[in-house]
Amino acid sequence: MKGLKSNDLAIGYPPNKKLIEGINLELTSGNFVALVGQNGVGKSTLIRTLTGLHPALAGDIILDGKSISKYSQTEVAKKIAVVLTGKPESLNLSVLELIALGRHPHTGWLGVLKESDKEVIEAALSQMEINYIATKKLFELSDGQLQKVMIARALAQDTELIILDEPTSHLDLKNKIEVLELLRKIAKSGKGVLISTHEIQLTASACDQFWCVDFGMPFLTGAAKEIIEAGVLHEYLHLPSSVRVL
């Protein structure tokens, strides 16, 4: 089966500091999923574990029907693009140069871009609506522009799945809405998109599913509408009953 799934996954820190266990989830093409939970509960660790950047404590992660441990890092990078928090190490790169780095799993060590690679890069620029800043240096960009460039780099990897850790943190309201809408469109174009987020109100109207996690509670997944109507978000995020999630 295409996509990413886990079977009784436990995450945390070796040898036995478990943050979350009994995780059974599935991310497939065309779905926009929001991972929600309190700070410190393990959302970032889960994302890093699902993408092979952090070891699992127990259970299996299956990517396109095969254990993720059976893939090389390059093979994983051809199937999953990851956007973590934090800025690039060098802000002296141009927008085009950073996006071109997304082609590395396909170009090899020499990094020579073929015409087909350039077409993918141009498509990523257009999809994120940032053609107008293509030649600018990263240090010249606003936070919102830089986040869109980081997502464009992930798009340039041309993967089935894109996983993002807090993609709207530190953005103003306008850019939060724009980034979430662009991610929704990316999912509707056929990619599986997973984000961790605290933007519950904004995300509720955009995502297809919620994955919910809380200290001492079972890992819970479900359709966004069902999760909201059942009051799960209030329970897992400890929201006051007066707060209405749209």
Side-chain angles (χ1 to χ4, degrees):
M1 186 202 73
K2 289 282 189 178
L4 183 73
K5 66 179 294 187
S6 71
N7 297 320
D8 292 325
L9 180 68
I11 68 164
Y13 298 92
N16 56 10
K17 184 184 178 181
K18 290 183 180 177
L19 295 176
I20 316 171
E21 56 186 323
I23 302 170
N24 295 290
L25 52 77
E26 188 173 327
L27 177 64
T28 56
S29 299
N31 284 317
F32 185 15
V33 180
L35 170 64
V36 297
Q38 299 182 74
N39 284 334
V41 76
K43 298 189 302 297
S44 293
T45 303
L46 175 56
I47 280 178
R48 295 179 66 86
T49 305
L50 288 175
T51 53
L53 299 174
H54 189 85
L57 295 185
D60 298 316
I61 300 170
I62 308 299
L63 178 60
D64 286 354
K66 187 170 73 172
S67 172
I68 200 169
S69 64
K70 303 296 183 182
Y71 291 93
S72 68
Q73 288 184 337
T74 299
E75 288 171 332
V76 172
K78 289 181 179 179
K79 293 180 177 291
I80 306 175
V82 186
V83 181
L84 299 176
T85 56
K87 294 183 177 181
E89 291 185 9
S90 174
L91 295 177
N92 283 314
L93 294 172
S94 72
V95 168
L96 273 174
E97 287 170 336
L98 182 69
I99 296 173
L101 292 177
R103 297 304 298 161
H104 277 191
H106 306 276
T107 60
W109 289 105
L110 293 178
V112 177
L113 297 175
K114 302 187 293 293
E115 194 60 36
S116 58
D117 295 310
K118 294 176 183 178
E119 289 173 1
V120 172
I121 292 167
E122 286 296 327
L125 274 168
S126 296
Q127 196 165 354
M128 292 307 297
E129 302 173 2
I130 52 174
N131 306 70
Y132 69 101
I133 56 172
T135 59
K136 283 194 172 186
K137 297 289 188 180
L138 300 183
F139 67 79
E140 300 179 278
L141 306 182
S142 68
D143 287 343
Q145 289 172 329
L146 182 58
Q147 188 62 284
K148 291 172 187 175
V149 173
M150 297 295 286
I151 297 171
R153 183 184 68 174
L155 282 172
Q157 275 183 239
D158 196 20
T159 57
E160 303 161 5
L161 308 174
I162 300 179
I163 298 180
L164 309 96
D165 193 5
E166 295 285 355
T168 58
S169 63
H170 310 303
L171 301 185
D172 60 27
L173 180 60
K174 177 178 180 292
N175 279 294
K176 289 179 192 290
I177 293 171
E178 286 183 359
V179 166
L180 286 172
E181 177 60 16
L182 288 165
L183 290 172
R184 187 189 69 81
K185 288 180 179 178
I186 290 168
K188 295 309 175 188
S189 75
K191 295 184 183 293
V193 178
L194 167 64
I195 65 169
S196 66
T197 184
H198 290 98
E199 308 294 340
I200 305 304
Q201 295 284 14
L202 295 177
T203 308
S205 60
C207 71
D208 301 305
Q209 286 185 298
F210 277 114
W211 293 354
C212 306
V213 61
D214 190 20
F215 298 99
M217 297 285 282
F219 187 86
L220 190 63
T221 70
K225 185 174 185 292
E226 295 173 359
I227 289 287
I228 292 169
E229 291 179 350
V232 173
L233 294 179
H234 282 78
E235 181 181 7
Y236 274 62
L237 299 175
H238 304 276
L239 300 175
S241 58
S242 58
V243 174
R244 182 169 178 263
V245 179
L246 301 177

